[in-house]
Amino acid sequence: FKTIYPEVNAALEDEEVEVNEWAVSWLRFLLCRELQVDNSLRLWDSYFAADAENPEDGLLLHPYVCLAILEHLQGTIIELSERSEMLATLHHLPLM
């Protein structure tokens, strides 16, 4: 993500927000902790419906979903001026 969204990366680095503080959860728990339950279920349904023969292949979409979320949030993250606000935004994603 550092090369795709350098402004977001710079904003996070300026406030000393480590990627491990938010991205690990996004990837490990498939955004279940960060999204509302309805959104999580809809996202997971999309993952598993992507390939009926190999449902686990739908999970290959997940990194791209994470990048799309960063695309959506980049303006907000860049405007935030405090570390705690950035982490709160990344840990509790707004409705999309």
Side-chain angles (χ1 to χ4, degrees):
F1 104 95
K2 292 179 180 183
T3 57
I4 297 173
Y5 303 113
E7 297 88 7
V8 174
N9 184 57
L12 293 172
E13 284 183 350
D14 288 347
E15 292 301 318
E16 299 178 0
V17 176
E18 298 291 328
V19 173
N20 293 349
E21 294 179 83
W22 58 274
V24 171
S25 176
W26 282 26
L27 296 172
R28 183 176 289 165
F29 300 110
L30 301 174
L31 297 168
C32 184
R33 290 182 171 180
E34 293 77 15
L35 291 173
Q36 301 281 329
V37 173
D38 291 345
N39 289 339
S40 294
L41 292 175
R42 188 171 189 182
L43 179 63
W44 288 21
D45 188 44
S46 298
Y47 289 161
F48 295 120
D51 188 346
E53 291 182 19
N54 298 313
E56 65 277 358
D57 287 351
L59 294 175
L60 297 174
L61 297 172
H62 188 64
Y64 299 102
V65 170
C66 293
L67 288 173
I69 291 171
L70 282 177
E71 169 81 23
H72 180 75
L73 293 177
Q74 70 179 333
T76 302
I77 293 170
I78 292 168
E79 289 177 6
L80 295 174
S81 60
E82 291 189 25
R83 180 180 195 280
S84 61
E85 292 174 331
M86 289 178 174
L87 283 173
T89 300
L90 293 167
H91 284 241
H92 304 286
L93 298 172
L95 293 175
M96 292 181 222

